[in-house]
Amino acid sequence: MTVGMINANPVVHERPERAAHPHAAALDALDVFDTVRDIKDPEHPYSLEQLSVLSQESVSVDEKLGRIQYLQFFWGHCLHLTIACRITFTPTVQHCSMATVIGLCLRLKLMQNFPPHFKIDIKVAPGSLANEESVNKQLNDKERVAAALENPNLRQLVDECLCSDHPSSY
Amino acid sequence: MKLFPDPSGLAAQFASDLFEILSNYFPVYFTHEASDNLGATRDDLSRALMHAFCSTPFFEPFAIPLLLDKLSSSLPLAKLDSLKYLDNCISCYGADRMVRHTSAIWSKLKEVLFSLSSDQLLSSWSPKDAEKNKNQIMSEAKNCLKAAVTYIHSSDRDLFINLILLDDDIVNNFHSVTIEEKSICSSPQKLHQLQALGSVISILAESSTYFCTRIFQAHFTRLIDILVNSAGFESQHLNICNGSSSGTVNYGALYLCLQMLSSCREVAVTSQEEFAPVKSANTWWLILMGKLEPFIHLLGKLLTIDSQPIQSAVEQEYVSSAMKGLLILATFPEQCSLPANAYEDILLMLTSVITNKYENVHLWRLSLRTLASIGSSAVEFHDSQKEMIYNRIVVDKIISLAKSCDTSMPLNLRLEASFEVGTAGVNYMLRVARSLEEAVIINIFQVNGRTECVEYVECLMDCYSSRLLPWLFTSAGVNDFALSFAMRLWDEISDLATLDRIISQGLLDSLMMGMKFLVGVCTEEQQSLIIQKACSTISSMLSLPVKSMVHHVLSEDDELVPAHSAQDKALVCMLSSVIVGLRPQTPVQDMTMMINLFAVFLLNGQMPAAHALASIFNKYLHNSEFSHENKLDKILDVILGRCFSIVLASSNSKISHSSGAISDNANCSDSMSGSVGSKVDILCGLAWIGKGLLMRGDEKVKDVSMFLLKCLVSDQNSVNVQPYQKTQNDNVSSDASLATSAADAFHVMMSDSEVCLNKKFHAKIKLLYKQRFFSILMPIFLSKIKETPVLTTKLVLYRAFGHIISNAPVSAVITEAHQILLVMVDSLAKLSVDIQDKDLVYNMLLVLSGMLMDEKGKECILENIHIVVSVLTQLVSYPHMMVVRETALQCFVAMSSFPHSKMYRMRPQVLQAASKALDDKKRAVRQEAVRCRQTWQSFA
């Protein structure tokens, strides 16, 4: 970081106890949250969960409405299941320029850990950021995400954030 | 070195100089690795220096100040060492010399005990280390205080106790505990203070009756009053149930009371013989008795703060404290035990929890355990009066619980309660056993078609045989009751009407299992009594011509006995379960008759008969008939021969069919040699006999296994001839089912069984028998698999070989890895098609993953990496079993540590399989897939 820290003194919360998964084997919000809770903040050695950037309530998995049927006309009818996942996060300060990096981390991790038919919406929590709309647009634009991940500096930063050593993260 | 303590001697003169030299080494600083050849550790050196410090009392004026000074060191190690040294020095230097240091020692120890948690020095360590250090220091400090209290006497015996009890900090601490409003101490700091205070008090009180009395005088009455008042006990019917009100009971006071109680119990136990004066004089006992009733009442109230089934941690803490209190009160030794009515009150309280509060698991288990400990302490102290009360209040109640068929309480809890209460003492357990026996017999007698009654008997039998019997046998060595129970069962069976009821209700299985266990725990003499009884019952009731079986073994027409009646079968089953449980040395009469009987039933496809025969041949049961010649071996030959011929007869008939014989023969030959179903059963029975022989290490097992192999490849013949005889489909399928059951027979032979032939039933088990069997059969199987062109036969061979591989010790399999790997992988691929083989597939996959972990196996896998990876990718999407998918993915993760040059070509294949598994139905597989993908992605 060449410039000073954007938020030098964040509020750090304790790592809460991990809730046990309910017995049902279907994919749920807790699965998604477990995947991303240990992503490291780009600025601090704490996880996004500890900094309250994310919480389990901010993830919603919508299986019923999210099942979109693609009719593929080339090979006749073909059902394709898509599960939508909506994830919102709250940057620690209003003018956090790290919001895009955090969003990028979320997207990359989810892309790695869930099958490709999984539609992912990543949004900044309403009212938490000054340029909310543009960030949201940027984060959900496939081409811009791909382009960002081609940038070596950015890629390195993202990869560092994803390397968390908490044992239960997967 | 122990110097002679001469007050004017050299030691006294030079003590100062000597100690100056010694003291430079303290605390020992030693960082060498343990690898040098002396092998000295820091602990050794420190201990040596400690002995030097303690060697002569003349060091006292120099050592004690030094140690006390080092106690306030910031190094945990120095602190720990000083405490250890001080502990030893106090006992070595003697009271006279130590008296003058008393107040200094106390104030230093107090510092350590009470202020440790706030120590900053520890926070620089990792939390785990700090915790460990803290605990160590605390326990050493307690030891040290204990030494000080016991060794430092003076003319004024009040010296130490006054020093502590009147200490400002202690007084303040007591005060702050008693005014504490919160239920459980709010901060860890406070909790630590409370624990420290508790341990100081209990160390003092445990040291002597006098100290104990002093402490009781000073605090006990007041604490109890606070407790009783805080809980608002003026009102008779206190509604403590609504959650927060439990907070009004002062936890600190409760904790301290319990500490005092437990230490006065300690005192009472250690000073048992001199206890007579305690009751008379003004001692702690009188103080305790004065407050006993409200205290028990309070503890009882605490047990009821549990209206909701799921309790918070705070409530659980209260409940466990209350339990602890009740336990201590009820386990005072005889000389100073409670008045009988208080004891009864406690027992009634706990028993009512058992009978009424079973929804609350924590409370229920806790009170059960408490009851059991109370009972065992009464037994331990030989307190006959208490035992009587316990019998009357607890055991009677619990037994009546287990006996009654219909209460709202779940049966498994009732049985658990009976068992736990029984563990308190042999006599109690015997009562429980007798009551269960009674319940079983009564229920057999009046089974009236209700299914819950059948289940009830099954549960009773199960509890009896799997919990009570082993406990009674191992911890008490009692087995008379087993004999009497077995005899009673036989009495019941000898009544035809009862027997019919047993059969029609489906109770036979559980009774058989119970009988095996009962016979299993008996001694040889008892067993021979049981077997005699069984034999006489059988021979009087069986509709077969039993007498004619005595002399000749398996005459030709024996097997043609038509379908046996259900009663005959049941009788033979029960007899077989007696045989299964016998010890090898037990003398058995009428052996020929029994073997004949079992052989006949085996030929009719009865598995229990096969179990019995297998047990007979495994244990080589002997009697005078057989002693002089190898008659048993001959009988075995005859039986095996008959089995072989019957099973083969069908195949031959089929072959004769297929080669163009008249098809009418089919019916004829079927009636001659039994249906296909019974042939399958006979094969299975053969497998059991083979297992018995195999476990003993008998050579004849070869005959059995060769025969099974022949059966395995038998359908190859029929498949070959199939083109000529299309109409013989049913025969082909019967051959196939025969081959399949032959494959399963290998599973029976190799796997461990609960039903018979195990340690509990005294089987003879030769060392490494599985390994030996594996290495004998492996080359045969390999060549057979190689030369078989037919897929179905190959599949059966794979199945049989799979059973052998997966049950053999992994290390044995790995040594042959280079030979069997390809066969294994191929059979994994082929067997993964059929859902019935899912367990087998899983077991073989486990063997494969075991190979992955071994150096030699790894090498072998690397040579065939392509084929292994492709089979594993196939298994990643195995639809029938989740653990197979998971294990396959784990294998991939393990493979990622293989040499890069060999593995990088596999990467796309593995990644593709893993990303497919990301979409799995089961969470565990998805997680494993993510892990696999991550390791292989970073692998490039």
Side-chain angles (χ1 to χ4, degrees), chain B residues 3-17:
Chain B
L3 294 182
F4 192 67
D6 178 6
S8 57
L10 283 175
Q13 283 171 22
F14 294 104
S16 156
D17 297 342

PDB file of all heavy atoms in Angstrom, chain B residues 3-17:
ATOM      1  N   LEU B   3      24.736 -34.306  55.226  1.00  0.00           N
ATOM      2  CA  LEU B   3      25.747 -33.993  56.223  1.00  0.00           C
ATOM      3  C   LEU B   3      25.195 -34.210  57.619  1.00  0.00           C
ATOM      4  O   LEU B   3      24.011 -34.030  57.867  1.00  0.00           O
ATOM      5  CB  LEU B   3      26.193 -32.546  56.072  1.00  0.00           C
ATOM      6  CG  LEU B   3      26.917 -32.267  54.773  1.00  0.00           C
ATOM      7  CD1 LEU B   3      27.361 -30.836  54.719  1.00  0.00           C
ATOM      8  CD2 LEU B   3      28.103 -33.192  54.612  1.00  0.00           C
ATOM      9  N   PHE B   4      26.083 -34.600  58.489  1.00  0.00           N
ATOM     10  CA  PHE B   4      25.649 -34.867  59.848  1.00  0.00           C
ATOM     11  C   PHE B   4      25.329 -33.542  60.534  1.00  0.00           C
ATOM     12  O   PHE B   4      26.154 -32.643  60.573  1.00  0.00           O
ATOM     13  CB  PHE B   4      26.762 -35.613  60.593  1.00  0.00           C
ATOM     14  CG  PHE B   4      26.290 -36.171  61.885  1.00  0.00           C
ATOM     15  CD1 PHE B   4      25.360 -37.189  61.920  1.00  0.00           C
ATOM     16  CD2 PHE B   4      26.761 -35.645  63.080  1.00  0.00           C
ATOM     17  CE1 PHE B   4      24.918 -37.706  63.113  1.00  0.00           C
ATOM     18  CE2 PHE B   4      26.319 -36.164  64.260  1.00  0.00           C
ATOM     19  CZ  PHE B   4      25.395 -37.193  64.296  1.00  0.00           C
ATOM     20  N   PRO B   5      24.146 -33.416  61.084  1.00  0.00           N
ATOM     21  CA  PRO B   5      23.757 -32.102  61.605  1.00  0.00           C
ATOM     22  C   PRO B   5      24.343 -31.819  62.987  1.00  0.00           C
ATOM     23  O   PRO B   5      23.633 -31.855  63.994  1.00  0.00           O
ATOM     24  CB  PRO B   5      22.241 -32.189  61.654  1.00  0.00           C
ATOM     25  CG  PRO B   5      21.944 -33.629  61.805  1.00  0.00           C
ATOM     26  CD  PRO B   5      23.054 -34.378  61.183  1.00  0.00           C
ATOM     27  N   ASP B   6      25.588 -31.538  63.026  1.00  0.00           N
ATOM     28  CA  ASP B   6      26.228 -31.186  64.283  1.00  0.00           C
ATOM     29  C   ASP B   6      26.240 -29.658  64.379  1.00  0.00           C
ATOM     30  O   ASP B   6      26.801 -28.974  63.528  1.00  0.00           O
ATOM     31  CB  ASP B   6      27.664 -31.746  64.269  1.00  0.00           C
ATOM     32  CG  ASP B   6      28.405 -31.377  65.522  1.00  0.00           C
ATOM     33  OD1 ASP B   6      27.753 -30.790  66.425  1.00  0.00           O
ATOM     34  OD2 ASP B   6      29.598 -31.656  65.582  1.00  0.00           O
ATOM     35  N   PRO B   7      25.607 -29.097  65.432  1.00  0.00           N
ATOM     36  CA  PRO B   7      25.437 -27.639  65.461  1.00  0.00           C
ATOM     37  C   PRO B   7      26.767 -26.885  65.455  1.00  0.00           C
ATOM     38  O   PRO B   7      26.822 -25.715  65.051  1.00  0.00           O
ATOM     39  CB  PRO B   7      24.661 -27.402  66.753  1.00  0.00           C
ATOM     40  CG  PRO B   7      24.759 -28.648  67.537  1.00  0.00           C
ATOM     41  CD  PRO B   7      24.956 -29.761  66.570  1.00  0.00           C
ATOM     42  N   SER B   8      27.844 -27.546  65.919  1.00  0.00           N
ATOM     43  CA  SER B   8      29.104 -26.819  65.907  1.00  0.00           C
ATOM     44  C   SER B   8      30.049 -27.387  64.871  1.00  0.00           C
ATOM     45  O   SER B   8      31.217 -27.053  64.829  1.00  0.00           O
ATOM     46  CB  SER B   8      29.744 -26.901  67.296  1.00  0.00           C
ATOM     47  OG  SER B   8      29.910 -28.269  67.619  1.00  0.00           O
ATOM     48  N   GLY B   9      29.529 -28.298  64.050  1.00  0.00           N
ATOM     49  CA  GLY B   9      30.396 -29.003  63.113  1.00  0.00           C
ATOM     50  C   GLY B   9      30.790 -28.141  61.934  1.00  0.00           C
ATOM     51  O   GLY B   9      30.451 -26.947  61.857  1.00  0.00           O
ATOM     52  N   LEU B  10      31.481 -28.797  61.033  1.00  0.00           N
ATOM     53  CA  LEU B  10      31.973 -28.100  59.846  1.00  0.00           C
ATOM     54  C   LEU B  10      30.833 -27.561  59.007  1.00  0.00           C
ATOM     55  O   LEU B  10      30.870 -26.438  58.512  1.00  0.00           O
ATOM     56  CB  LEU B  10      32.794 -29.068  59.012  1.00  0.00           C
ATOM     57  CG  LEU B  10      34.193 -29.344  59.545  1.00  0.00           C
ATOM     58  CD1 LEU B  10      34.842 -30.416  58.701  1.00  0.00           C
ATOM     59  CD2 LEU B  10      35.024 -28.067  59.500  1.00  0.00           C
ATOM     60  N   ALA B  11      29.787 -28.415  58.901  1.00  0.00           N
ATOM     61  CA  ALA B  11      28.670 -28.037  58.034  1.00  0.00           C
ATOM     62  C   ALA B  11      28.085 -26.710  58.506  1.00  0.00           C
ATOM     63  O   ALA B  11      27.787 -25.815  57.713  1.00  0.00           O
ATOM     64  CB  ALA B  11      27.610 -29.115  58.053  1.00  0.00           C
ATOM     65  N   ALA B  12      27.927 -26.587  59.839  1.00  0.00           N
ATOM     66  CA  ALA B  12      27.336 -25.369  60.355  1.00  0.00           C
ATOM     67  C   ALA B  12      28.239 -24.170  60.075  1.00  0.00           C
ATOM     68  O   ALA B  12      27.762 -23.091  59.704  1.00  0.00           O
ATOM     69  CB  ALA B  12      27.107 -25.503  61.851  1.00  0.00           C
ATOM     70  N   GLN B  13      29.536 -24.401  60.213  1.00  0.00           N
ATOM     71  CA  GLN B  13      30.457 -23.286  60.015  1.00  0.00           C
ATOM     72  C   GLN B  13      30.486 -22.802  58.573  1.00  0.00           C
ATOM     73  O   GLN B  13      30.494 -21.608  58.302  1.00  0.00           O
ATOM     74  CB  GLN B  13      31.870 -23.701  60.435  1.00  0.00           C
ATOM     75  CG  GLN B  13      32.051 -23.704  61.920  1.00  0.00           C
ATOM     76  CD  GLN B  13      33.380 -24.318  62.288  1.00  0.00           C
ATOM     77  OE1 GLN B  13      34.287 -24.357  61.465  1.00  0.00           O
ATOM     78  NE2 GLN B  13      33.483 -24.806  63.512  1.00  0.00           N
ATOM     79  N   PHE B  14      30.499 -23.786  57.686  1.00  0.00           N
ATOM     80  CA  PHE B  14      30.689 -23.388  56.287  1.00  0.00           C
ATOM     81  C   PHE B  14      29.402 -23.336  55.477  1.00  0.00           C
ATOM     82  O   PHE B  14      29.444 -23.184  54.264  1.00  0.00           O
ATOM     83  CB  PHE B  14      31.701 -24.314  55.625  1.00  0.00           C
ATOM     84  CG  PHE B  14      33.064 -24.187  56.204  1.00  0.00           C
ATOM     85  CD1 PHE B  14      33.573 -25.137  57.062  1.00  0.00           C
ATOM     86  CD2 PHE B  14      33.823 -23.050  55.914  1.00  0.00           C
ATOM     87  CE1 PHE B  14      34.832 -24.984  57.611  1.00  0.00           C
ATOM     88  CE2 PHE B  14      35.084 -22.918  56.473  1.00  0.00           C
ATOM     89  CZ  PHE B  14      35.591 -23.877  57.329  1.00  0.00           C
ATOM     90  N   ALA B  15      28.286 -23.480  56.182  1.00  0.00           N
ATOM     91  CA  ALA B  15      27.020 -23.490  55.457  1.00  0.00           C
ATOM     92  C   ALA B  15      26.860 -22.248  54.598  1.00  0.00           C
ATOM     93  O   ALA B  15      26.450 -22.326  53.425  1.00  0.00           O
ATOM     94  CB  ALA B  15      25.860 -23.591  56.440  1.00  0.00           C
ATOM     95  N   SER B  16      27.228 -21.138  55.141  1.00  0.00           N
ATOM     96  CA  SER B  16      27.039 -19.888  54.413  1.00  0.00           C
ATOM     97  C   SER B  16      27.827 -19.881  53.113  1.00  0.00           C
ATOM     98  O   SER B  16      27.288 -19.615  52.033  1.00  0.00           O
ATOM     99  CB  SER B  16      27.461 -18.734  55.312  1.00  0.00           C
ATOM    100  OG  SER B  16      27.814 -17.638  54.533  1.00  0.00           O
ATOM    101  N   ASP B  17      29.118 -20.258  53.217  1.00  0.00           N
ATOM    102  CA  ASP B  17      29.964 -20.255  52.011  1.00  0.00           C
ATOM    103  C   ASP B  17      29.443 -21.273  50.994  1.00  0.00           C
ATOM    104  O   ASP B  17      29.361 -20.998  49.800  1.00  0.00           O
ATOM    105  CB  ASP B  17      31.407 -20.607  52.373  1.00  0.00           C
ATOM    106  CG  ASP B  17      31.984 -19.572  53.297  1.00  0.00           C
ATOM    107  OD1 ASP B  17      31.380 -18.455  53.335  1.00  0.00           O
ATOM    108  OD2 ASP B  17      32.964 -19.863  53.978  1.00  0.00           O
TER     109      ASP B  17
END
